[in-house]
Amino acid sequence: MSESTCTRVFDAWINLPYAAGEVTPDPSVVARFKRGNSAYEGGETMEDVVAEMDRLDIFGGVLSKAPRDITPPFIHGTKSGEDVLRQTCERLAGYQKNFPGRFVTSVGIDPCLGYEAAKHVRIAVREYGIKCIRIIPMFTGIAIDDKLAFPLYTAACDEGAVVSINVGVPGPMKPAKLQRTILVDEVALAFPELKIVMSHLGDPWISETIAMLLKHPNVYAMTAGWAPKYVPADIVRFAERRNTKKLMWASDYPILPIDRTFNEGSELGLSGQARSGYLGENALSVFGEPV
């Protein structure tokens, strides 16, 4: 039996597929990822996603939805409010029920709501079984360490939820400084029991990303948004030599296709525990087993 067959492969970020016409593709993202006629524009179903996972022997994944609109660079782009939260959580919970044992669920919540965001975290976790709260600063308009986000972090920590935060220069035409990796530092210090997963690796602040992974036991990273063959060598070296339990594979479907990211991730140059950790074990350890 091969090493890849022995590994439980787990995708740390799968976006809900869009129904045809559900959204307008972000032109800057389409151009950057060169997927003009792709699933990003809609038309695939969760049945298609699961069939692809089965074909590739992918055990499960984190199924995610962050309600948002395409907006000009300095306009808040996150859809918020309890009704939006519940509608989104119900969709996620429905797919989780339809495909038992395959998915952990993750929902985007707007930290700008302050204490109300904390209430939303509790609703998501307690009523819908959400395991991960996703924050995308480029769409919320506030930085990772903004004081408005601290009620959300507090609630997530209290509820045992993971927080995933986008870091680095965004693909959409939104401000990058809100997502500078070093801003994770004081959040991790303030909430040492909160599991924080940095998404998108933090380019061009790769050294800061590695510094956060080295410094904080509760900080992790996933390669979402990167075709693995382009993952910086310093990140690969860190995962192979410094800490085998911190880096996670993530397709970020449908921004990138699952098969490409899985195939390239399998050939990333990691071996042994570093490889099995990257392809699934690390994410399962942080997010927990699917239900």
Side-chain angles (χ1 to χ4, degrees), residues 92 140 172 190 198 230 271:
L92 290 164
T140 68
M198 301 181 292
Y230 296 120
S271 60

Side-chain angles (χ1 to χ4, degrees), residues 34 201 226-233 236 260 264 268:
K34 300 177 182 179
L201 297 182
W226 287 74
K229 71 178 181 180
Y230 296 120
V231 169
V236 178
R260 176 185 177 182
E264 291 183 8
L268 194 57

Side-chain angles (χ1 to χ4, degrees), residues 216-245:
H216 296 291
N218 58 321
V219 174
Y220 304 82
M222 66 171 73
T223 58
W226 287 74
K229 71 178 181 180
Y230 296 120
V231 169
D234 286 348
I235 294 286
V236 178
R237 190 177 302 111
F238 164 83
E240 177 74 15
R241 300 180 184 178
R242 301 297 297 274
N243 193 322
T244 62
K245 298 181 179 181

Side-chain angles (χ1 to χ4, degrees), residues 10-16 53 60-65 92 102-107 131-132 134 164 222 248 283-284 287-288 290:
F10 190 82
D11 189 339
W13 187 345
I14 303 171
N15 294 293
L16 286 183
M53 293 170 67
V62 179
L63 191 61
S64 184
K65 180 66 175 176
L92 290 164
R102 300 302 294 265
F103 297 111
V104 169
T105 50
S106 170
V107 69
K131 293 287 187 68
C132 176
R134 193 171 298 286
S164 173
M222 66 171 73
M248 308 172 187
L284 284 164
F287 293 106

